[in-house]
Every structure is written in C-alpha cells, then in structure tokens.
C-alpha cells in the first residue's frame, strides 16, 4: 500500500480542475488510473480528522447522473458504510430524483449528509441503526477516509453531473463550526489520501508461471472462467485455476466482504483473458434492464439493476483500466440479448459496430501491464439489484462455481474466435 505523493495529487488536481481543498484527489482514467476503476465513474477522495463529539455535514445537490453515493473506509481500504442516492432524503420534502418514477430534470434538489463516528454495534446493522441522512465512519487512528462517486453524468454535464462538489461543514462538540479553508487547514489530512494498492509485479508473474498449468495462456482459460468476487484473498487464487494447485481454492475463506475501496452497492465477477487464445473474444447474454439516463431522460425508470458494466483491466500488479462499456452503450436485439466483441483496434471485426447490433470493447495495447501484451482480465459489475431481480444478480452468488446457475440467461457466455470467423457471422454495415 504505497501513498501517492501529495505534490503529485496537487498537480493532477490542478490540471484536471476537478478537486478542491477537501476533495483532494480523483480516481479516473484521465487522472489517477489505479485501483481498478470503472471509466464511466469519477471517484473523489477526502481524508480528515473527526474530533471526539464532532459531526461532519456535507451540503450538496443531487447530480444529473445515473448514480451517486458516499462511502467510508477503514485504514486498510475496506468499506465501512455507504449512503447511496436513494437513501438520501432531499431537503424541503421534495422528491429524490433517483427514486423510480421521479423527475430527473429541472432545478436540483438540495441535501445534507451527516458523517458520524460509529460504534461497532451501529456498524453491525448500519441500515437499521442510522437515522436520517447519516453515513457511519470508523477509524482507530482518528483519521477518516471518504469517497464520493458519480456514475454516468448526463450528456452535456461535466464529471460532477452539472452541480458543485458537496461542501463540508464540521460542527465541533462545543458547537463551533468550521468551513471553507478553516476546515481544510484544521481537519484535512492530505498525506496518504490516495494509496496505490497492488501486488508486486514479480509476485504476480510467479503466480502466472506455476508449473503444470493446463492452458497455454495461463492464467487465461479457454473458454474464459468467470469467478464471482467474494474477498480479496480468494480473488488472488483465481490464478490457480487450471493448475495442480487449484484444489487449494476450496480451502480458502469464501465469506463475501468488500475489496480495496469497493462500494457496498456493487459486486463483481472477473475472468482472465488472453489474445493468444483468439483474436476476438465474443461475449453474449441477456442484458439486465437498467434506467437509461445519459440522454437527459426526464423520468427515472424502474429497472432490474441500477447499472452494469464490462471493463478490461491489466492485472493485480497494474490496476489501471483500459476500456469499459456500460449498459447504455451495449445494443440489444429484440429479445434483449447482446453481443460484445473484445479485441485490439487492429483486430476489430468490420461488423463489430452498433449498426450490426454488436458492441466493441477495446482490448488496448497494454495487455496485463507486466510483460504480456496479450493478457489482462475482464470484470463484470452489477449495481443495486431490484428485489425482483436479486436472485439472478451477482449478489445472489453464494459459493465459487455457482455464477452460471445464478445468473442463468444473464450469464456472459464467452468464446474466442478469429477476426475472419467473426466477420462471417454477417452484417458489415
């Protein structure tokens, strides 16, 4: 866990124009491309001291976007609590624009979120323990980490979704209030606000080079092997699949808990991929319904998921994202099924385009980022399933290996092909 230098954070923040004295850093492909981000999201990071008896309030407006949330983390980057958009009550007893059926356009509604230190009891059952717009935070050192996320800002809006960043106000135990530069000078802790979490490259290379692997492009399998995320340690052992040590995975803890700086509103599954197994990776499944918002939709739609995406990453030693597709960018046929072709730009099939009903995901040129230009991995995200869809969402996976049975027709069936063979599947518009 290596802290990014404060001077570099300041330089990137000034260059991007996205940060201020409280929201110190951003994670995104154009700023700090690390920690396995989604390219349709901007993540803002804050780190501050919360004195005993103090309360931090965030005064903001709901952005024009698909989703927004606040998330608190412990010193190890594990999620503590989250407060997402539909959990936040707008001021003035007006409708929350993220509720299904609510108007999304028009004047922005104000909100106030209170961030408070929590007891273990409160954290064990946070949703029942919280009152109002409260986000719980916990820190043994007295230094708290807070992330703010905005997904898919509406067309014509900036990364912030057309509103200002939430404004912090701290109320101390004696009633004194701090805001603006005073709050930043007295409470913000810039050192270590952004920490680069990755495995050493040599360690990952050694895992990939385990003797006796069945695949010539290990850790990639043919067809790709999709693994739901349960916890960081188990995720590392995905690279043992197809080796003589695969059975060690069954001895690992399978408890579902957050990953490094993950959000409790999302869960994932991943698959190693490699172009040596085929020029084009073809992925097909039924698309979960989501509320399409990018084109300034007037009313928030009810849907099976709030958001889903497919992203190509490098490795656990280079945690940058190369490209993503999110739900609205993926055309579907009359029955709701999609086809995604993953390839480099040079191997992109002529029929991998919207006119042919095919979404194209750029494999990029970095490969796994640690020497194999053909490698990498994909991650498939599900966010906030509806009660009706939960049983077919990634949240419903209980054990490694039940991904396909749970997702059923929504499972991304994947196979390698040559570019020429994919182009034989018709449509060359």
């Amino acid at each position: 866990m290596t802290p990014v230098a404060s001077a570099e954070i300041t330089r990137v923040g000034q260059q991007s124009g996205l940060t201020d004295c409280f929201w110190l850093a951003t994670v995104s492909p154009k700023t700090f491309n690390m920690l396995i981000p989604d390219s349709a999201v901007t993540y803002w990071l804050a780190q501050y001291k919360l004195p005993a008896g103090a309360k931090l309030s965030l005064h903001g407006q709901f952005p024009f976007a698909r989703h927004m949330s606040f998330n608190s983390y412990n010193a190890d980057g594990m999620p503590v609590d989250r407060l997402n958009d539909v959990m936040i009550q707008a001021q003035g007893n007006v409708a929350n624009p993220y509720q299904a059926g609510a108007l999304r356009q028009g004047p922005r509604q104000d909100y106030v979120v209170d961030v408070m230190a929590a007891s273990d009891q409160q954290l064990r059952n946070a949703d029942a323990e919280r009152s109002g717009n409260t986000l719980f935070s916990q820190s043994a050192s007295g230094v708290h980490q807070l992330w703010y996320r905005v997904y898919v800002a509406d067309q014509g809006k900036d990364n912030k979704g057309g509103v200002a960043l939430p404004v912090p106000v701290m109320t101390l135990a004696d009633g004194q209030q701090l805001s603006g530069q005073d709050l930043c000078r007295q409470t913000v802790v810039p050192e270590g606000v952004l920490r680069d979490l990755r495995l050493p490259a040599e360690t990952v290379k050694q895992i990939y080079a385990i003797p006796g692997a069945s695949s010539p492009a290990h850790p990639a399998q043919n067809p790709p092997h999709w693994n739901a995320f349960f916890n960081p340690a188990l995720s590392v052992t995905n690279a043992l699949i197809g080796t003589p040590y695969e059975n060690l995975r069954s001895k690992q803890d399978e408890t579902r808990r957050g990953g490094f700086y993950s959000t409790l509103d999302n869960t994932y599954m991943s698959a190693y991929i490699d172009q040596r197994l085929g020029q084009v990776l073809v992925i097909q499944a039924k698309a979960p319904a989501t509320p399409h918002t990018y084109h300034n939709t007037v009313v928030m739609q009810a849907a099976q998921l709030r958001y889903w995406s497919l992203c190509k990453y490098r490795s656990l030693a280079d945690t940058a994202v190369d490209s993503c597709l999110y739900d609205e960018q993926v055309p579907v046929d009359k029955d709701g099924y999609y086809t995604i072709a993953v390839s480099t730009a040079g191997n992109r099939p002529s029929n991998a385009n919207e006119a042919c009903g095919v979404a194209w995901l750029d494999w990029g040129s970095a490969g796994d980022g640690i020497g194999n230009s053909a490698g990498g991995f994909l991650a498939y995200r599900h966010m906030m399933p509806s009660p009706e869809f939960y049983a077919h969402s990634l949240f419903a996976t209980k054990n490694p290996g039940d991904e396909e049975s749970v997702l059923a027709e929504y499972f991304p069936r994947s196979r390698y092909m040559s570019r020429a063979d994919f182009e034989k599947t018709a449509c060359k518009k």
Side-chain angles (χ1 to χ4, degrees), residues 96-142:
N96 178 317
Y98 290 93
Q99 296 285 356
L103 294 176
R104 298 186 62 253
Q105 304 303 322
R108 287 293 86 182
Q109 294 91 331
D110 296 329
Y111 64 80
V112 177
V113 165
D114 295 325
V115 188
M116 303 178 65
S119 66
D120 291 341
Q121 169 61 30
Q122 288 172 314
L123 290 176
R124 277 193 291 270
N125 197 11
D127 287 345
E129 292 282 342
R130 79 175 83 251
S131 61
N133 297 342
T134 300
L135 176 73
F136 292 131
S137 184
Q138 185 185 54
S139 172
S141 67

Side-chain angles (χ1 to χ4, degrees), residues 38-103:
D38 186 316
S39 61
V41 188
T42 302
Y43 312 73
W44 281 269
L45 289 64
Q47 185 169 257
Y48 56 92
K49 294 177 291 185
L50 190 63
K55 178 180 72 175
L56 177 70
S57 297
L58 301 168
H59 298 250
Q61 293 183 314
F62 292 107
F64 293 90
R66 174 74 66 82
H67 171 77
M68 55 86 74
S69 66
F70 296 96
N71 294 259
S72 59
Y73 297 91
N74 66 17
D76 297 321
M78 296 292 106
V80 172
D81 191 23
R82 63 82 176 85
L83 198 68
N84 65 44
D85 44 39
V86 293
M87 299 169 69
I88 300 172
Q89 184 174 348
Q91 288 190 310
N93 201 30
V94 297
N96 178 317
Y98 290 93
Q99 296 285 356
L103 294 176

Side-chain angles (χ1 to χ4, degrees), residues 77-256:
M78 296 292 106
V80 172
D81 191 23
R82 63 82 176 85
L83 198 68
N84 65 44
D85 44 39
V86 293
M87 299 169 69
I88 300 172
Q89 184 174 348
Q91 288 190 310
N93 201 30
V94 297
N96 178 317
Y98 290 93
Q99 296 285 356
L103 294 176
R104 298 186 62 253
Q105 304 303 322
R108 287 293 86 182
Q109 294 91 331
D110 296 329
Y111 64 80
V112 177
V113 165
D114 295 325
V115 188
M116 303 178 65
S119 66
D120 291 341
Q121 169 61 30
Q122 288 172 314
L123 290 176
R124 277 193 291 270
N125 197 11
D127 287 345
E129 292 282 342
R130 79 175 83 251
S131 61
N133 297 342
T134 300
L135 176 73
F136 292 131
S137 184
Q138 185 185 54
S139 172
S141 67
V143 176
H144 298 254
Q145 274 226 341
L146 176 67
W147 284 41
Y148 170 61
R149 289 168 163 84
V150 175
Y151 280 67
V152 191
D154 283 15
Q155 187 175 29
K157 306 298 183 185
D158 61 10
N159 297 51
K160 303 169 190 174
V163 300
L165 290 174
V167 176
V169 176
M170 186 172 290
T171 304
L172 303 179
D174 63 3
Q176 179 188 356
Q177 288 194 331
L178 300 175
S179 61
Q181 291 294 331
D182 286 341
L183 180 148
C184 291
R185 279 193 298 267
Q186 296 186 47
T187 69
V188 168
V189 182
E191 293 78 17
V193 64
L194 178 58
R195 289 170 282 181
D196 191 2
L197 297 167
R198 63 179 70 192
L199 294 178
E202 288 307 311
T203 298
V204 175
K205 288 180 181 180
Q206 289 174 12
I207 295 172
Y208 289 0
I210 291 175
S214 60
S215 170
H218 183 77
Q221 306 295 311
N222 190 5
H225 193 292
W226 288 96
N227 298 280
F229 180 88
F230 290 91
N231 58 67
L234 182 61
S235 182
V236 171
T237 70
N238 292 345
L240 298 179
I241 293 172
T243 76
Y245 306 97
E246 182 173 347
N247 67 330
L248 293 177
R249 300 185 75 242
S250 64
K251 304 180 187 304
Q252 300 298 309
D253 175 19
E254 297 176 359
T255 304
R256 172 159 278 149

